[in-house]
PDB file of all heavy atoms in Angstrom:
ATOM      1  N   LYS A  48      -0.342  -2.263  -3.788  1.00 92.00           N
ATOM      2  CA  LYS A  48      -1.533  -2.612  -4.579  1.00 92.00           C
ATOM      3  C   LYS A  48      -1.928  -1.488  -5.539  1.00 92.00           C
ATOM      4  O   LYS A  48      -1.888  -1.644  -6.744  1.00 92.00           O
ATOM      5  CB  LYS A  48      -2.715  -2.936  -3.657  1.00 92.00           C
ATOM      6  CG  LYS A  48      -2.474  -4.046  -2.684  1.00 92.00           C
ATOM      7  CD  LYS A  48      -2.478  -5.378  -3.363  1.00 92.00           C
ATOM      8  CE  LYS A  48      -2.334  -6.487  -2.324  1.00 92.00           C
ATOM      9  NZ  LYS A  48      -2.450  -7.786  -2.904  1.00 92.00           N
ATOM     10  N   PHE A  49      -2.339  -0.367  -4.973  1.00 91.00           N
ATOM     11  CA  PHE A  49      -2.922   0.714  -5.770  1.00 91.00           C
ATOM     12  C   PHE A  49      -1.992   1.190  -6.881  1.00 91.00           C
ATOM     13  O   PHE A  49      -2.399   1.319  -8.032  1.00 91.00           O
ATOM     14  CB  PHE A  49      -3.309   1.887  -4.857  1.00 91.00           C
ATOM     15  CG  PHE A  49      -4.037   2.985  -5.575  1.00 91.00           C
ATOM     16  CD1 PHE A  49      -5.401   2.886  -5.802  1.00 91.00           C
ATOM     17  CD2 PHE A  49      -3.368   4.112  -6.019  1.00 91.00           C
ATOM     18  CE1 PHE A  49      -6.085   3.896  -6.469  1.00 91.00           C
ATOM     19  CE2 PHE A  49      -4.033   5.125  -6.683  1.00 91.00           C
ATOM     20  CZ  PHE A  49      -5.394   5.018  -6.910  1.00 91.00           C
ATOM     21  N   LEU A  50      -0.735   1.473  -6.549  1.00 93.00           N
ATOM     22  CA  LEU A  50       0.199   1.978  -7.554  1.00 93.00           C
ATOM     23  C   LEU A  50       0.532   0.943  -8.624  1.00 93.00           C
ATOM     24  O   LEU A  50       1.016   1.290  -9.690  1.00 93.00           O
ATOM     25  CB  LEU A  50       1.492   2.472  -6.895  1.00 93.00           C
ATOM     26  CG  LEU A  50       1.355   3.754  -6.081  1.00 93.00           C
ATOM     27  CD1 LEU A  50       2.691   4.123  -5.445  1.00 93.00           C
ATOM     28  CD2 LEU A  50       0.836   4.912  -6.923  1.00 93.00           C
ATOM     29  N   LYS A  51       0.237  -0.325  -8.334  1.00 92.00           N
ATOM     30  CA  LYS A  51       0.488  -1.392  -9.309  1.00 92.00           C
ATOM     31  C   LYS A  51      -0.777  -1.755 -10.073  1.00 92.00           C
ATOM     32  O   LYS A  51      -0.818  -2.752 -10.776  1.00 92.00           O
ATOM     33  CB  LYS A  51       1.069  -2.611  -8.600  1.00 92.00           C
ATOM     34  CG  LYS A  51       2.441  -2.308  -8.022  1.00 92.00           C
ATOM     35  CD  LYS A  51       3.023  -3.470  -7.284  1.00 92.00           C
ATOM     36  CE  LYS A  51       4.396  -3.075  -6.731  1.00 92.00           C
ATOM     37  NZ  LYS A  51       4.963  -4.125  -5.912  1.00 92.00           N
ATOM     38  N   GLY A  52      -1.818  -0.935  -9.915  1.00 92.00           N
ATOM     39  CA  GLY A  52      -3.038  -1.114 -10.682  1.00 92.00           C
ATOM     40  C   GLY A  52      -4.113  -1.940 -10.017  1.00 92.00           C
ATOM     41  O   GLY A  52      -5.193  -2.104 -10.572  1.00 92.00           O
ATOM     42  N   ASP A  53      -3.855  -2.472  -8.838  1.00 91.00           N
ATOM     43  CA  ASP A  53      -4.860  -3.269  -8.126  1.00 91.00           C
ATOM     44  C   ASP A  53      -5.740  -2.323  -7.327  1.00 91.00           C
ATOM     45  O   ASP A  53      -5.371  -1.831  -6.273  1.00 91.00           O
ATOM     46  CB  ASP A  53      -4.186  -4.274  -7.203  1.00 91.00           C
ATOM     47  CG  ASP A  53      -5.179  -5.178  -6.491  1.00 91.00           C
ATOM     48  OD1 ASP A  53      -6.407  -4.960  -6.607  1.00 91.00           O
ATOM     49  OD2 ASP A  53      -4.726  -6.109  -5.803  1.00 91.00           O
ATOM     50  N   ARG A  54      -6.926  -2.043  -7.840  1.00 86.00           N
ATOM     51  CA  ARG A  54      -7.848  -1.102  -7.190  1.00 86.00           C
ATOM     52  C   ARG A  54      -8.958  -1.850  -6.443  1.00 86.00           C
ATOM     53  O   ARG A  54      -9.969  -1.282  -6.083  1.00 86.00           O
ATOM     54  CB  ARG A  54      -8.487  -0.164  -8.222  1.00 86.00           C
ATOM     55  CG  ARG A  54      -7.519   0.537  -9.190  1.00 86.00           C
ATOM     56  CD  ARG A  54      -6.848   1.713  -8.552  1.00 86.00           C
ATOM     57  NE  ARG A  54      -6.207   2.668  -9.435  1.00 86.00           N
ATOM     58  CZ  ARG A  54      -5.071   2.490 -10.088  1.00 86.00           C
ATOM     59  NH1 ARG A  54      -4.486   1.319 -10.079  1.00 86.00           N
ATOM     60  NH2 ARG A  54      -4.517   3.458 -10.783  1.00 86.00           N
ATOM     61  N   SER A  55      -8.765  -3.143  -6.218  1.00 83.00           N
ATOM     62  CA  SER A  55      -9.807  -3.957  -5.590  1.00 83.00           C
ATOM     63  C   SER A  55      -9.817  -3.774  -4.077  1.00 83.00           C
ATOM     64  O   SER A  55      -9.016  -4.340  -3.356  1.00 83.00           O
ATOM     65  CB  SER A  55      -9.600  -5.436  -5.929  1.00 83.00           C
ATOM     66  OG  SER A  55      -8.345  -5.875  -5.463  1.00 83.00           O
ATOM     67  N   GLY A  56     -10.716  -2.970  -3.623  1.00 81.00           N
ATOM     68  CA  GLY A  56     -10.946  -2.804  -2.198  1.00 81.00           C
ATOM     69  C   GLY A  56      -9.839  -2.087  -1.453  1.00 81.00           C
ATOM     70  O   GLY A  56      -8.766  -1.819  -1.976  1.00 81.00           O
ATOM     71  N   ASP A  57     -10.132  -1.786  -0.228  1.00 82.00           N
ATOM     72  CA  ASP A  57      -9.189  -1.129   0.672  1.00 82.00           C
ATOM     73  C   ASP A  57      -9.198  -1.923   1.973  1.00 82.00           C
ATOM     74  O   ASP A  57     -10.170  -1.890   2.718  1.00 82.00           O
ATOM     75  CB  ASP A  57      -9.635   0.313   0.913  1.00 82.00           C
ATOM     76  CG  ASP A  57      -8.752   1.055   1.899  1.00 82.00           C
ATOM     77  OD1 ASP A  57      -7.814   0.439   2.453  1.00 82.00           O
ATOM     78  OD2 ASP A  57      -9.009   2.246   2.128  1.00 82.00           O
ATOM     79  N   PRO A  58      -8.123  -2.641   2.271  1.00 92.00           N
ATOM     80  CA  PRO A  58      -8.086  -3.472   3.475  1.00 92.00           C
ATOM     81  C   PRO A  58      -8.007  -2.665   4.767  1.00 92.00           C
ATOM     82  O   PRO A  58      -8.054  -3.234   5.850  1.00 92.00           O
ATOM     83  CB  PRO A  58      -6.811  -4.297   3.282  1.00 92.00           C
ATOM     84  CG  PRO A  58      -5.937  -3.429   2.449  1.00 92.00           C
ATOM     85  CD  PRO A  58      -6.879  -2.703   1.517  1.00 92.00           C
ATOM     86  N   CYS A  59      -7.920  -1.365   4.659  1.00 94.00           N
ATOM     87  CA  CYS A  59      -7.716  -0.514   5.832  1.00 94.00           C
ATOM     88  C   CYS A  59      -9.001   0.140   6.331  1.00 94.00           C
ATOM     89  O   CYS A  59      -8.961   0.937   7.270  1.00 94.00           O
ATOM     90  CB  CYS A  59      -6.687   0.568   5.499  1.00 94.00           C
ATOM     91  SG  CYS A  59      -5.159  -0.079   4.815  1.00 94.00           S
ATOM     92  N   THR A  60     -10.114  -0.171   5.731  1.00 92.00           N
ATOM     93  CA  THR A  60     -11.370   0.504   6.060  1.00 92.00           C
ATOM     94  C   THR A  60     -11.727   0.373   7.534  1.00 92.00           C
ATOM     95  O   THR A  60     -12.072   1.365   8.185  1.00 92.00           O
ATOM     96  CB  THR A  60     -12.520  -0.015   5.179  1.00 92.00           C
ATOM     97  OG1 THR A  60     -12.184   0.240   3.822  1.00 92.00           O
ATOM     98  CG2 THR A  60     -13.833   0.653   5.514  1.00 92.00           C
ATOM     99  N   GLU A  61     -11.643  -0.817   8.096  1.00 94.00           N
ATOM    100  CA  GLU A  61     -12.028  -0.994   9.495  1.00 94.00           C
ATOM    101  C   GLU A  61     -11.056  -0.268  10.427  1.00 94.00           C
ATOM    102  O   GLU A  61     -11.471   0.333  11.422  1.00 94.00           O
ATOM    103  CB  GLU A  61     -12.113  -2.475   9.872  1.00 94.00           C
ATOM    104  CG  GLU A  61     -12.675  -2.705  11.258  1.00 94.00           C
ATOM    105  CD  GLU A  61     -13.996  -1.985  11.535  1.00 94.00           C
ATOM    106  OE1 GLU A  61     -14.877  -1.945  10.660  1.00 94.00           O
ATOM    107  OE2 GLU A  61     -14.148  -1.446  12.653  1.00 94.00           O
ATOM    108  N   THR A  62      -9.775  -0.298  10.101  1.00 95.00           N
ATOM    109  CA  THR A  62      -8.784   0.434  10.896  1.00 95.00           C
ATOM    110  C   THR A  62      -9.087   1.926  10.849  1.00 95.00           C
ATOM    111  O   THR A  62      -9.041   2.623  11.874  1.00 95.00           O
ATOM    112  CB  THR A  62      -7.361   0.169  10.373  1.00 95.00           C
ATOM    113  OG1 THR A  62      -7.124  -1.235  10.369  1.00 95.00           O
ATOM    114  CG2 THR A  62      -6.316   0.847  11.229  1.00 95.00           C
ATOM    115  N   PHE A  63      -9.431   2.432   9.660  1.00 93.00           N
ATOM    116  CA  PHE A  63      -9.784   3.844   9.526  1.00 93.00           C
ATOM    117  C   PHE A  63     -11.008   4.172  10.373  1.00 93.00           C
ATOM    118  O   PHE A  63     -11.037   5.197  11.061  1.00 93.00           O
ATOM    119  CB  PHE A  63     -10.052   4.211   8.068  1.00 93.00           C
ATOM    120  CG  PHE A  63     -10.512   5.630   7.914  1.00 93.00           C
ATOM    121  CD1 PHE A  63      -9.606   6.671   7.936  1.00 93.00           C
ATOM    122  CD2 PHE A  63     -11.861   5.930   7.787  1.00 93.00           C
ATOM    123  CE1 PHE A  63     -10.030   7.992   7.828  1.00 93.00           C
ATOM    124  CE2 PHE A  63     -12.288   7.242   7.674  1.00 93.00           C
ATOM    125  CZ  PHE A  63     -11.370   8.275   7.696  1.00 93.00           C
ATOM    126  N   ARG A  64     -12.004   3.326  10.342  1.00 93.00           N
ATOM    127  CA  ARG A  64     -13.234   3.597  11.107  1.00 93.00           C
ATOM    128  C   ARG A  64     -12.964   3.646  12.601  1.00 93.00           C
ATOM    129  O   ARG A  64     -13.524   4.499  13.309  1.00 93.00           O
ATOM    130  CB  ARG A  64     -14.304   2.576  10.762  1.00 93.00           C
ATOM    131  CG  ARG A  64     -14.863   2.808   9.379  1.00 93.00           C
ATOM    132  CD  ARG A  64     -16.064   1.934   9.104  1.00 93.00           C
ATOM    133  NE  ARG A  64     -16.569   2.245   7.778  1.00 93.00           N
ATOM    134  CZ  ARG A  64     -16.908   1.353   6.883  1.00 93.00           C
ATOM    135  NH1 ARG A  64     -16.832   0.063   7.159  1.00 93.00           N
ATOM    136  NH2 ARG A  64     -17.356   1.713   5.693  1.00 93.00           N
ATOM    137  N   ARG A  65     -12.116   2.737  13.104  1.00 94.00           N
ATOM    138  CA  ARG A  65     -11.763   2.776  14.530  1.00 94.00           C
ATOM    139  C   ARG A  65     -11.039   4.077  14.862  1.00 94.00           C
ATOM    140  O   ARG A  65     -11.315   4.717  15.882  1.00 94.00           O
ATOM    141  CB  ARG A  65     -10.890   1.572  14.904  1.00 94.00           C
ATOM    142  CG  ARG A  65     -11.655   0.268  14.976  1.00 94.00           C
ATOM    143  CD  ARG A  65     -10.872  -0.842  15.659  1.00 94.00           C
ATOM    144  NE  ARG A  65      -9.458  -0.885  15.333  1.00 94.00           N
ATOM    145  CZ  ARG A  65      -8.913  -1.669  14.403  1.00 94.00           C
ATOM    146  NH1 ARG A  65      -9.660  -2.482  13.697  1.00 94.00           N
ATOM    147  NH2 ARG A  65      -7.606  -1.639  14.194  1.00 94.00           N
ATOM    148  N   TYR A  66     -10.124   4.480  14.000  1.00 92.00           N
ATOM    149  CA  TYR A  66      -9.395   5.733  14.206  1.00 92.00           C
ATOM    150  C   TYR A  66     -10.356   6.925  14.138  1.00 92.00           C
ATOM    151  O   TYR A  66     -10.311   7.829  14.973  1.00 92.00           O
ATOM    152  CB  TYR A  66      -8.275   5.874  13.165  1.00 92.00           C
ATOM    153  CG  TYR A  66      -7.599   7.210  13.197  1.00 92.00           C
ATOM    154  CD1 TYR A  66      -6.994   7.683  14.352  1.00 92.00           C
ATOM    155  CD2 TYR A  66      -7.559   8.016  12.071  1.00 92.00           C
ATOM    156  CE1 TYR A  66      -6.371   8.922  14.390  1.00 92.00           C
ATOM    157  CE2 TYR A  66      -6.940   9.258  12.096  1.00 92.00           C
ATOM    158  CZ  TYR A  66      -6.350   9.705  13.255  1.00 92.00           C
ATOM    159  OH  TYR A  66      -5.745  10.932  13.296  1.00 92.00           O
ATOM    160  N   GLN A  67     -11.251   6.911  13.165  1.00 90.00           N
ATOM    161  CA  GLN A  67     -12.210   8.002  12.997  1.00 90.00           C
ATOM    162  C   GLN A  67     -13.092   8.150  14.241  1.00 90.00           C
ATOM    163  O   GLN A  67     -13.319   9.270  14.714  1.00 90.00           O
ATOM    164  CB  GLN A  67     -13.067   7.733  11.764  1.00 90.00           C
ATOM    165  CG  GLN A  67     -14.036   8.839  11.432  1.00 90.00           C
ATOM    166  CD  GLN A  67     -14.876   8.504  10.218  1.00 90.00           C
ATOM    167  OE1 GLN A  67     -15.359   7.379  10.084  1.00 90.00           O
ATOM    168  NE2 GLN A  67     -15.026   9.450   9.311  1.00 90.00           N
ATOM    169  N   ARG A  68     -13.573   7.036  14.778  1.00 91.00           N
ATOM    170  CA  ARG A  68     -14.406   7.095  15.994  1.00 91.00           C
ATOM    171  C   ARG A  68     -13.619   7.684  17.160  1.00 91.00           C
ATOM    172  O   ARG A  68     -14.141   8.488  17.941  1.00 91.00           O
ATOM    173  CB  ARG A  68     -14.954   5.712  16.343  1.00 91.00           C
ATOM    174  CG  ARG A  68     -16.070   5.249  15.449  1.00 91.00           C
ATOM    175  CD  ARG A  68     -16.749   3.991  15.975  1.00 91.00           C
ATOM    176  NE  ARG A  68     -15.856   2.851  16.064  1.00 91.00           N
ATOM    177  CZ  ARG A  68     -15.686   1.926  15.108  1.00 91.00           C
ATOM    178  NH1 ARG A  68     -16.357   2.021  13.977  1.00 91.00           N
ATOM    179  NH2 ARG A  68     -14.860   0.916  15.291  1.00 91.00           N
ATOM    180  N   CYS A  69     -12.360   7.291  17.285  1.00 92.00           N
ATOM    181  CA  CYS A  69     -11.507   7.807  18.352  1.00 92.00           C
ATOM    182  C   CYS A  69     -11.326   9.319  18.210  1.00 92.00           C
ATOM    183  O   CYS A  69     -11.438  10.064  19.187  1.00 92.00           O
ATOM    184  CB  CYS A  69     -10.158   7.091  18.310  1.00 92.00           C
ATOM    185  SG  CYS A  69      -9.077   7.499  19.698  1.00 92.00           S
ATOM    186  N   VAL A  70     -11.054   9.778  17.000  1.00 90.00           N
ATOM    187  CA  VAL A  70     -10.860  11.208  16.755  1.00 90.00           C
ATOM    188  C   VAL A  70     -12.149  11.986  17.030  1.00 90.00           C
ATOM    189  O   VAL A  70     -12.120  13.044  17.665  1.00 90.00           O
ATOM    190  CB  VAL A  70     -10.364  11.459  15.317  1.00 90.00           C
ATOM    191  CG1 VAL A  70     -10.460  12.928  14.954  1.00 90.00           C
ATOM    192  CG2 VAL A  70      -8.941  10.959  15.155  1.00 90.00           C
ATOM    193  N   GLN A  71     -13.273  11.449  16.589  1.00 88.00           N
ATOM    194  CA  GLN A  71     -14.548  12.131  16.836  1.00 88.00           C
ATOM    195  C   GLN A  71     -14.808  12.269  18.331  1.00 88.00           C
ATOM    196  O   GLN A  71     -15.276  13.307  18.799  1.00 88.00           O
ATOM    197  CB  GLN A  71     -15.683  11.389  16.142  1.00 88.00           C
ATOM    198  CG  GLN A  71     -15.642  11.556  14.647  1.00 88.00           C
ATOM    199  CD  GLN A  71     -16.603  10.631  13.916  1.00 88.00           C
ATOM    200  OE1 GLN A  71     -17.053   9.604  14.431  1.00 88.00           O
ATOM    201  NE2 GLN A  71     -16.917  10.987  12.673  1.00 88.00           N
ATOM    202  N   LYS A  72     -14.476  11.229  19.097  1.00 90.00           N
ATOM    203  CA  LYS A  72     -14.643  11.274  20.549  1.00 90.00           C
ATOM    204  C   LYS A  72     -13.715  12.330  21.151  1.00 90.00           C
ATOM    205  O   LYS A  72     -14.122  13.114  22.004  1.00 90.00           O
ATOM    206  CB  LYS A  72     -14.352   9.899  21.146  1.00 90.00           C
ATOM    207  CG  LYS A  72     -14.518   9.839  22.636  1.00 90.00           C
ATOM    208  CD  LYS A  72     -14.218   8.447  23.162  1.00 90.00           C
ATOM    209  CE  LYS A  72     -14.287   8.450  24.681  1.00 90.00           C
ATOM    210  NZ  LYS A  72     -13.761   7.227  25.255  1.00 90.00           N
ATOM    211  N   ALA A  73     -12.460  12.367  20.699  1.00 89.00           N
ATOM    212  CA  ALA A  73     -11.494  13.344  21.216  1.00 89.00           C
ATOM    213  C   ALA A  73     -11.933  14.768  20.901  1.00 89.00           C
ATOM    214  O   ALA A  73     -11.815  15.669  21.742  1.00 89.00           O
ATOM    215  CB  ALA A  73     -10.107  13.075  20.635  1.00 89.00           C
ATOM    216  N   ILE A  74     -12.447  14.973  19.696  1.00 87.00           N
ATOM    217  CA  ILE A  74     -12.923  16.305  19.304  1.00 87.00           C
ATOM    218  C   ILE A  74     -14.063  16.746  20.212  1.00 87.00           C
ATOM    219  O   ILE A  74     -14.108  17.883  20.677  1.00 87.00           O
ATOM    220  CB  ILE A  74     -13.356  16.309  17.823  1.00 87.00           C
ATOM    221  CG1 ILE A  74     -12.110  16.268  16.928  1.00 87.00           C
ATOM    222  CG2 ILE A  74     -14.219  17.517  17.490  1.00 87.00           C
ATOM    223  CD1 ILE A  74     -12.416  16.052  15.461  1.00 87.00           C
ATOM    224  N   LYS A  75     -14.959  15.817  20.485  1.00 87.00           N
ATOM    225  CA  LYS A  75     -16.098  16.135  21.353  1.00 87.00           C
ATOM    226  C   LYS A  75     -15.626  16.429  22.788  1.00 87.00           C
ATOM    227  O   LYS A  75     -16.062  17.395  23.405  1.00 87.00           O
ATOM    228  CB  LYS A  75     -17.087  14.971  21.341  1.00 87.00           C
ATOM    229  CG  LYS A  75     -18.388  15.270  22.005  1.00 87.00           C
ATOM    230  CD  LYS A  75     -19.369  14.138  21.790  1.00 87.00           C
ATOM    231  CE  LYS A  75     -20.734  14.541  22.272  1.00 87.00           C
ATOM    232  NZ  LYS A  75     -21.753  13.554  21.936  1.00 87.00           N
ATOM    233  N   GLU A  76     -14.717  15.586  23.289  1.00 84.00           N
ATOM    234  CA  GLU A  76     -14.219  15.774  24.654  1.00 84.00           C
ATOM    235  C   GLU A  76     -13.455  17.089  24.811  1.00 84.00           C
ATOM    236  O   GLU A  76     -13.500  17.715  25.867  1.00 84.00           O
ATOM    237  CB  GLU A  76     -13.310  14.603  25.051  1.00 84.00           C
ATOM    238  CG  GLU A  76     -14.068  13.325  25.309  1.00 84.00           C
ATOM    239  CD  GLU A  76     -13.161  12.119  25.528  1.00 84.00           C
ATOM    240  OE1 GLU A  76     -11.922  12.242  25.350  1.00 84.00           O
ATOM    241  OE2 GLU A  76     -13.694  11.055  25.861  1.00 84.00           O
ATOM    242  N   LYS A  77     -12.734  17.508  23.779  1.00 80.00           N
ATOM    243  CA  LYS A  77     -11.958  18.743  23.834  1.00 80.00           C
ATOM    244  C   LYS A  77     -12.784  19.956  23.422  1.00 80.00           C
ATOM    245  O   LYS A  77     -12.277  21.065  23.386  1.00 80.00           O
ATOM    246  CB  LYS A  77     -10.725  18.633  22.946  1.00 80.00           C
ATOM    247  CG  LYS A  77      -9.723  17.634  23.458  1.00 80.00           C
ATOM    248  CD  LYS A  77      -8.537  17.546  22.541  1.00 80.00           C
ATOM    249  CE  LYS A  77      -7.552  16.547  23.095  1.00 80.00           C
ATOM    250  NZ  LYS A  77      -6.188  16.839  22.724  1.00 80.00           N
ATOM    251  N   ASP A  78     -14.042  19.701  23.067  1.00 82.00           N
ATOM    252  CA  ASP A  78     -14.961  20.764  22.666  1.00 82.00           C
ATOM    253  C   ASP A  78     -14.383  21.601  21.520  1.00 82.00           C
ATOM    254  O   ASP A  78     -14.420  22.828  21.546  1.00 82.00           O
ATOM    255  CB  ASP A  78     -15.308  21.642  23.871  1.00 82.00           C
ATOM    256  CG  ASP A  78     -16.598  22.413  23.659  1.00 82.00           C
ATOM    257  OD1 ASP A  78     -17.463  21.943  22.879  1.00 82.00           O
ATOM    258  OD2 ASP A  78     -16.748  23.495  24.255  1.00 82.00           O
ATOM    259  N   ILE A  79     -13.838  20.912  20.523  1.00 77.00           N
ATOM    260  CA  ILE A  79     -13.283  21.576  19.342  1.00 77.00           C
ATOM    261  C   ILE A  79     -14.433  21.854  18.375  1.00 77.00           C
ATOM    262  O   ILE A  79     -15.141  20.930  17.978  1.00 77.00           O
ATOM    263  CB  ILE A  79     -12.205  20.701  18.675  1.00 77.00           C
ATOM    264  CG1 ILE A  79     -11.037  20.486  19.641  1.00 77.00           C
ATOM    265  CG2 ILE A  79     -11.729  21.331  17.363  1.00 77.00           C
ATOM    266  CD1 ILE A  79     -10.017  19.473  19.165  1.00 77.00           C
ATOM    267  N   PRO A  80     -14.649  23.111  17.999  1.00 76.00           N
ATOM    268  CA  PRO A  80     -15.759  23.428  17.095  1.00 76.00           C
ATOM    269  C   PRO A  80     -15.496  22.885  15.687  1.00 76.00           C
ATOM    270  O   PRO A  80     -14.443  23.116  15.106  1.00 76.00           O
ATOM    271  CB  PRO A  80     -15.803  24.954  17.093  1.00 76.00           C
ATOM    272  CG  PRO A  80     -14.448  25.380  17.515  1.00 76.00           C
ATOM    273  CD  PRO A  80     -13.885  24.292  18.373  1.00 76.00           C
ATOM    274  N   VAL A  81     -16.458  22.139  15.167  1.00 73.00           N
ATOM    275  CA  VAL A  81     -16.327  21.564  13.822  1.00 73.00           C
ATOM    276  C   VAL A  81     -17.546  21.876  12.958  1.00 73.00           C
ATOM    277  O   VAL A  81     -17.737  21.270  11.917  1.00 73.00           O
ATOM    278  CB  VAL A  81     -16.077  20.036  13.879  1.00 73.00           C
ATOM    279  CG1 VAL A  81     -14.722  19.735  14.466  1.00 73.00           C
ATOM    280  CG2 VAL A  81     -17.187  19.333  14.628  1.00 73.00           C
ATOM    281  N   ASP A  82     -18.351  22.828  13.387  1.00 73.00           N
ATOM    282  CA  ASP A  82     -19.532  23.194  12.610  1.00 73.00           C
ATOM    283  C   ASP A  82     -19.112  23.641  11.217  1.00 73.00           C
ATOM    284  O   ASP A  82     -18.205  24.443  11.050  1.00 73.00           O
ATOM    285  CB  ASP A  82     -20.310  24.319  13.291  1.00 73.00           C
ATOM    286  CG  ASP A  82     -20.932  23.885  14.609  1.00 73.00           C
ATOM    287  OD1 ASP A  82     -21.141  22.665  14.787  1.00 73.00           O
ATOM    288  OD2 ASP A  82     -21.202  24.759  15.447  1.00 73.00           O
ATOM    289  N   GLY A  83     -19.769  23.080  10.213  1.00 69.00           N
ATOM    290  CA  GLY A  83     -19.502  23.450   8.835  1.00 69.00           C
ATOM    291  C   GLY A  83     -18.338  22.715   8.202  1.00 69.00           C
ATOM    292  O   GLY A  83     -18.049  22.905   7.033  1.00 69.00           O
TER     293      GLY A  83
END
Side-chain angles (χ1 to χ4, degrees):
K48 302 286 184 175
F49 186 83
L50 290 178
K51 295 178 180 175
D53 183 354
R54 310 281 197 286
S55 60
D57 177 357
C59 308
T60 300
E61 187 51 41
T62 304
F63 176 80
R64 288 188 178 134
R65 286 194 320 263
Y66 172 58
Q67 184 181 43
R68 285 190 298 267
C69 187
V70 167
Q71 288 170 340
K72 181 180 176 191
I74 286 171
K75 190 172 189 173
E76 287 173 353
K77 292 179 179 209
D78 201 26
I79 297 171
V81 292
D82 293 337

